[in-house]
């Protein structure tokens, strides 16, 4: 069935049978810690697979054991998430950061090198720059404007190229919407792969997935989400997800079992509800964003706008944008004439658009990256990335585009002229 229908047609029913729950059309919340085995032999067989003591037989179903290991609300949600990215398997987490930290801890050991793109989400940046070195992992960053050759040179100069184990990418980058070529990252990873060691590529797809970018198609091994954002979509939960091949996901799921950072059944249930409207929400958000970006681009108090839909054909990242994305998305950032004072005057004057961090929700959200989401990143790096004092990040919601434009316009009117 999943081969024929589009994901949006399957989000209401896939992987769930009403007869499991008294005919109830919706999957109930399985608010339970543990599951009863039919026999002791069955319990033993379930544990052998869950703890990685043996591979699952081709037709063997992994039975329900305990809600830290598996639960119907998580398993059905994971099966549904797999459809959007055409992934073999998925694991959901209690937050995006839990998903990211678990991937980094599973695929990086002391002495290994992680190559990562800049800028990164502030929490990821902190984990890579401050936590990983404390356990002996080496780190090396590259910039969106670096060519493959530049990156290979950086790797060679670092003296750690042969220890490369993971390439970690965020594209488009938060908050500048810079795009990174995933295919190029695959080529770099393959160059340092040996008989003894694979080099994996992991992509944080929070900004554009699961609708407008499919990293596995471009050579990524793992996709990571903050499901708090578009997948949840209502600013009412925190969650994360990782998707990839059966073999890699089995490693991720075993570590999740022992870290105990899986999502709760209620979060799984909320996310299944969110997935039913994922496509209509995201498509409306993108439509609105295109109109909002056009308005901002023409406004005399806006000096510079970062929106994929406005990228010039001559921009060095344009080819990657066209190859890698199915749309321009609904995230943008723009500079207001002036500095922090003018940016704050704008943010303080917003009425319909809410002043808050986070993104991807039904309501539009605006924030000031330099003093908020990216406050932990060092100043030189922020300057280099173009995260200036007047930069505002905007996540466009599902409101009427004309109302959004009206609100943004009146807030810009409130900004003093410099
Ligand atoms: C929000 C976000 C995260 C972290 O996710 P949480 O659910 O807040 O833990 C990671 N990456 C990106 C790009 C994000 O926007």
């Amino acid at each position: 069935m999943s081969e024929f229908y589009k994901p949006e047609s399957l989000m209401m029913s896939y992987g769930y049978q009403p007869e499991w729950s008294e005919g109830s059309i919706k999957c109930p919340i399985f608010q339970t810690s543990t599951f009863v085995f039919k026999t002791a032999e069955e319990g033993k067989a379930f544990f052998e697979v869950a703890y990685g003591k043996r591979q699952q037989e081709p037709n063997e179903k992994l039975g329900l054991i305990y809600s830290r290991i598996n639960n119907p609300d998580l398993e059905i949600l994971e099966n549904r998430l797999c459809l959007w990215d055409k992934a073999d398997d998925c694991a959901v987490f209690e937050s995006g950061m839990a998903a990211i930290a678990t991937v980094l801890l599973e695929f990086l050991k002391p002495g290994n090198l992680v190559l990562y793109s800049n800028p990164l989400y502030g929490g990821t940046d902190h984990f890579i720059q401050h936590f990983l070195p404390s356990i002996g992992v080496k780190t090396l960053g590259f910039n969106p404007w670096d060519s493959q050759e530049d990156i290979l040179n950086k790797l060679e100069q670092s003296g750690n190229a042969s220890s490369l184990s993971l390439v970690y990418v965020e594209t488009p980058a938060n908050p500048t919407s810079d795009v990174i070529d995933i295919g190029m990252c695959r080529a770099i990873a393959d160059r340092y792969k040996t008989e003894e060691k694979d080099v994996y590529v992991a992509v944080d797809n929070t900004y554009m997935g699961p609708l407008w970018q499919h990293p596995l198609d471009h050579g990524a091994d793992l996709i990571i989400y903050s499901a708090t954002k578009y997948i949840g979509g209502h600013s009412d939960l925190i969650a994360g997800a990782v998707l990839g091949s059966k073999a890699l996901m089995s490693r991720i799921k075993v570590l999740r079992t022992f870290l105990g950072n899986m999502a709760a059944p209620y979060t799984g249930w909320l996310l299944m509800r969110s997935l039913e409207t994922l496509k209509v929400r995201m498509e409306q958000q993108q439509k609105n964003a295109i109109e909002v970006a056009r308005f901002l681009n023409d406004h005399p108090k806006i000096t510079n706008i970062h929106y994929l839909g406005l990228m010039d054909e001559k921009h060095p990242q344009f080819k990657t944008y066209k190859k890698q994305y199915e749309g321009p998305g609904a995230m943008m950032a723009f500079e207001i004439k002036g500095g922090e004072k003018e940016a704050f005057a704008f943010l303080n004057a917003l009425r319909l658009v809410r002043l808050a961090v986070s993104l991807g929700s039904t309501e539009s959200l605006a924030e000031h990256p330099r003093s908020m989401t990216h406050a932990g990143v060092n100043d030189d790096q922020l300057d280099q990335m173009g995260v200036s004092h007047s930069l505002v990040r905007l996540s466009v919601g599902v409101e009427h585009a004309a109302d959004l434009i009206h609100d943004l316009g009146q807030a810009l009117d409130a900004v003093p002229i410099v």
Side-chain angles (χ1 to χ4, degrees):
M1 182 158 103
S2 68
E3 259 105 85
F4 179 76
Y5 292 113
K6 303 274 190 292
E8 61 268 33
S9 305
L10 295 168
M11 287 303 111
M12 284 63 79
S13 58
Y14 185 70
Y16 169 72
Q17 310 269 349
E19 57 265 32
W20 295 343
S21 310
E22 309 270 6
S24 111
I25 188 163
K26 291 293 153 185
C27 175
I29 307 170
F30 286 86
Q31 189 67 40
T32 186
S33 57
T34 195
F35 298 85
V36 178
F37 303 132
K38 288 198 187 81
T39 61
E41 288 77 8
E42 185 187 74
K44 176 180 175 180
F46 291 173
F47 265 96
E48 282 170 348
V49 176
Y51 278 31
K53 291 179 113 176
R54 65 172 171 86
Q55 284 291 307
Q56 207 166 341
E57 302 292 339
N59 290 318
E60 185 182 8
K61 254 197 104 209
L62 176 58
L64 293 161
I65 299 174
Y66 183 69
S67 287
R68 177 156 47 74
I69 301 171
N70 50 14
N71 175 288
D73 291 293
L74 304 196
E75 289 197 341
I76 298 165
L77 167 66
E78 288 165 350
N79 293 339
R80 290 183 188 175
L81 279 170
C82 283
L83 298 179
W84 295 97
D85 282 306
K86 298 194 179 70
D88 289 352
D89 201 5
C90 169
V92 288
F93 290 84
E94 62 187 346
S95 70
M97 277 314 302
I100 291 165
T102 303
V103 166
L104 294 173
L105 290 173
E106 177 58 30
F107 295 102
L108 292 166
K109 304 298 165 210
N112 289 168
L113 173 72
V114 57
L115 173 72
Y116 65 94
S117 64
N118 273 315
L120 287 177
Y121 173 73
T124 315
D125 187 81
H126 182 92
F127 197 86
I128 289 180
Q129 300 218 40
H130 300 281
F131 179 75
L132 289 180
S134 77
I135 57 165
V137 172
K138 297 172 193 129
T139 67
L140 179 67
F142 68 94
N143 297 318
W145 53 85
D146 288 339
S147 67
Q148 181 167 341
E149 207 187 331
D150 294 336
I151 300 170
L152 291 172
N153 283 338
K154 277 189 182 178
L155 271 166
E156 290 305 325
Q157 281 160 16
S158 75
N160 295 318
S162 63
S163 315
L164 182 66
S165 301
L166 182 70
V167 183
Y168 186 93
V169 183
E170 196 175 301
T171 177
N174 178 359
T176 54
S177 293
D178 276 298
V179 301
I180 309 277
D181 186 340
I182 298 169
M184 172 191 76
C185 295
R186 171 83 270 153
I188 294 169
D190 286 347
R191 214 180 149 111
Y192 291 98
K193 173 172 100 174
T194 62
E195 298 260 302
E196 290 81 45
K197 126 186 123 93
D198 259 314
V199 181
Y200 299 112
V201 177
V203 176
D204 182 332
N205 199 29
T206 300
Y207 244 52
M208 295 292 263
L211 224 57
W212 303 308
Q213 174 173 253
H214 297 102
L216 298 182
D217 295 345
H218 300 279
D221 298 295
L222 292 165
I223 304 177
I224 304 176
Y225 289 105
S226 166
T228 311
K229 316 294 168 56
Y230 286 101
I231 293 172
H234 294 74
S235 298
D236 57 5
L237 62 86
I238 301 277
V242 181
L243 297 103
S245 67
K246 258 240 117 50
L248 296 187
M249 290 313 301
S250 146
R251 290 176 58 180
I252 298 276
K253 282 187 164 170
V254 168
L255 185 57
R256 183 184 67 170
T257 291
F258 297 108
L259 291 174
N261 54 2
M262 70 297 155
Y266 182 52
T267 305
W269 181 84
L270 279 171
L271 284 168
M272 278 195 269
R273 187 180 172 135
S274 290
L275 280 181
E276 298 187 9
T277 56
L278 178 89
K279 194 170 183 209
V280 286
R281 281 186 282 116
M282 289 184 79
E283 284 187 339
Q284 188 60 46
Q285 286 170 277
Q286 177 169 270
K287 257 194 191 156
N288 286 351
I290 292 168
E291 288 195 45
V292 164
R294 265 194 215 123
F295 165 76
L296 294 171
N297 195 39
D298 292 340
H299 199 283
K301 283 187 185 166
I302 304 283
T303 53
N304 188 14
I305 174 158
H306 306 267
Y307 180 57
L308 292 183
L310 295 175
M311 197 194 281
D312 194 272
E313 285 183 29
K314 290 188 209 80
H315 194 287
Q317 294 171 9
F318 187 79
K319 256 202 188 135
T320 307
Y321 163 49
K322 282 291 160 190
K323 174 177 74 174
Q324 220 161 267
Y325 298 92
E326 281 153 47
M331 287 301 299
M332 64 187 73
F334 47 88
E335 284 173 295
I336 294 184
K337 223 175 232 176
E340 185 187 270
K341 182 167 151 257
E342 286 71 22
F344 280 15
F346 168 77
L347 289 168
N348 290 338
L350 290 167
R351 292 180 196 143
L352 185 63
V353 177
R354 309 311 300 270
L355 169 53
V357 299
S358 199
L359 60 99
S361 186
T362 43
E363 70 273 279
S364 296
L365 298 171
E367 64 110 9
H368 187 249
R370 185 99 187 190
S371 66
M372 297 171 190
T373 45
H374 293 69
V377 184
N378 79 48
D379 285 348
D380 289 348
Q381 202 179 327
L382 290 171
D383 288 339
Q384 209 191 359
M385 298 296 149
V387 184
S388 72
H389 295 279
S390 73
L391 191 78
V392 168
R393 188 185 76 183
L394 178 67
S395 165
V396 178
V398 300
E399 303 91 340
H400 197 293
D403 291 341
L404 291 173
I405 288 169
H406 173 82
D407 191 42
L408 295 164
Q410 68 78 27
L412 283 165
D413 289 344
V415 175
I417 295 169
V418 225

